[in-house]
Amino acid sequence: MRVGFGWDLHRLAAGRPLILGGMEIPFEKGCLGHSDGDVVLHAVTDAILGASASGDIGDHFRDTDPKWKDARSFFFVKKALELAAEKGMKVGNIDITLILERPKLYDFKGEIAANVASLLGIDSSDVSFKAKTREGLGEAGRGEAVECFAVVLMEEVSK
Ligand code: MG
C-alpha cells in the first residue's frame, strides 16, 4: 500500500461557476483558474500522483497551455489514475477535507462524494468528503478563497 497527499487553493471570484468534485454548486462566486478551477479534483489528482510518485498536477497539465483552458478537471483525475495503473496501483480509499466559508455544503456533500467515487471507480463507502469553515479567519474564512486537502490510500492491483 502507498499513501498520497494533495492540497490546493483557488481564489473565489464573481462570474465563475463554483465546481466542486465535478458538481456545480449554486453560488454567486466560483473558483478562478485556468481550468474549471475544481479545487477538490485538483487535490484528489495531486494525492493520486503523490501516492504513485508521478510528479504533480502542474507537471502534467501546465496552466499556460491553452489546451487546458476551462478544461473539466475530471480529465486530470483520469490521467492520474492511468499513471498509477501503469505502476500497478489502484485507489483503496480517499479522505477529502474542503475548507469553504460559504455556501454551506450540507445538502451537496453526499452527491459530491458519490461523484468522486464514480470518477475513481470505487464504492461510495471508500470516499469521505468533509466540509469545514475557517471561522472567519484567513483567506478562506473571509470568503476570498477555497482550499482542499486529500489523502489517498493506493493498493497494488492484484494480478
Ligand atoms: Mg488548482
Side-chain angles (χ1 to χ4, degrees):
M1 292 185 288
R2 293 172 67 109
V3 69
F5 172 73
W7 169 85
D8 198 25
L9 177 145
H10 280 255
R11 286 172 189 263
L12 282 170
R16 289 275 298 183
L18 180 60
I19 298 171
L20 298 172
M23 247 195 98
E24 187 163 345
I25 310 291
F27 191 52
E28 73 260 21
K29 291 196 272 188
C31 292
L32 273 182
H34 184 65
S35 66
D36 65 3
D38 191 331
V39 69
V40 173
L41 295 189
H42 294 181
V44 168
T45 300
D46 258 348
I48 296 167
L49 291 173
S52 58
S54 300
D56 64 39
I57 194 168
D59 291 333
H60 300 283
F61 312 101
R62 298 208 179 276
D63 64 6
T64 48
D65 189 338
K67 191 159 118 190
W68 308 120
K69 178 93 182 81
D70 297 323
R72 297 301 302 263
S73 296
F74 66 82
F75 185 84
F76 306 155
V77 177
K78 288 289 181 200
K79 179 69 181 172
L81 288 172
E82 274 171 32
L83 290 167
E86 282 168 17
K87 294 184 177 179
M89 281 178 277
K90 66 179 176 66
V91 175
N93 75 295
I94 189 159
D95 184 18
I96 302 164
T97 300
L98 180 77
I99 316 283
L100 176 67
E101 207 70 12
R102 281 193 318 125
K104 293 290 177 212
L105 292 182
Y106 192 80
D107 293 336
F108 302 103
K109 285 198 294 184
E111 213 172 323
I112 291 173
N115 228 14
V116 171
S118 121
L119 189 54
L120 298 180
I122 59 177
D123 200 83
S124 286
S125 63
D126 291 322
V127 176
S128 154
F129 180 79
K130 311 190 294 295
K132 305 184 73 78
T133 72
R134 282 289 316 258
E135 301 281 332
L137 298 170
E139 297 92 342
R142 290 191 297 270
E144 297 164 7
V146 52
E147 197 172 357
C148 191
F149 303 88
V151 177
V152 68
L153 186 81
M154 307 282 293
E155 301 167 335
E156 198 179 335
V157 179
S158 48
K159 296 182 177 81

